[in-house]
Amino acid sequence: MNKPTPPKLSPEEQDQIRRAAEAKKAAAAKEAREFEEFTKASEHKKAMDAKRAAAAAGKK
């Protein structure tokens, strides 16, 4: 069976698709960085809360 040939895209359409793909990739990378920062901040907060609790328990 012959596969249907995809329609030929103009250079402008190809550029538009490429830019959209790059923007999507950049947005995903930004979201991953923000998630990583959020995770680190959450872990730091948990550690500081535990440190404060231990210090408070030591004062009693």
Side-chain angles (χ1 to χ4, degrees):
M1 291 177 64
N2 291 337
K3 293 183 181 177
T5 57
K8 298 291 181 195
L9 300 174
S10 69
E12 293 83 17
E13 290 172 319
Q14 291 175 359
D15 188 49
Q16 185 179 14
I17 291 169
R18 181 185 54 78
R19 287 177 191 235
E22 288 174 355
K24 187 175 181 181
K25 184 177 178 182
K30 180 181 177 188
E31 187 173 338
R33 280 192 307 274
E34 289 173 351
F35 180 76
E36 185 68 28
E37 289 172 9
F38 171 77
T39 302
K40 284 181 184 178
S42 295
E43 290 172 357
H44 179 72
K45 183 181 181 313
K46 286 179 190 175
M48 294 307 292
D49 287 348
K51 199 174 189 180
R52 281 189 210 99
K59 288 183 181 179
K60 290 184 180 179

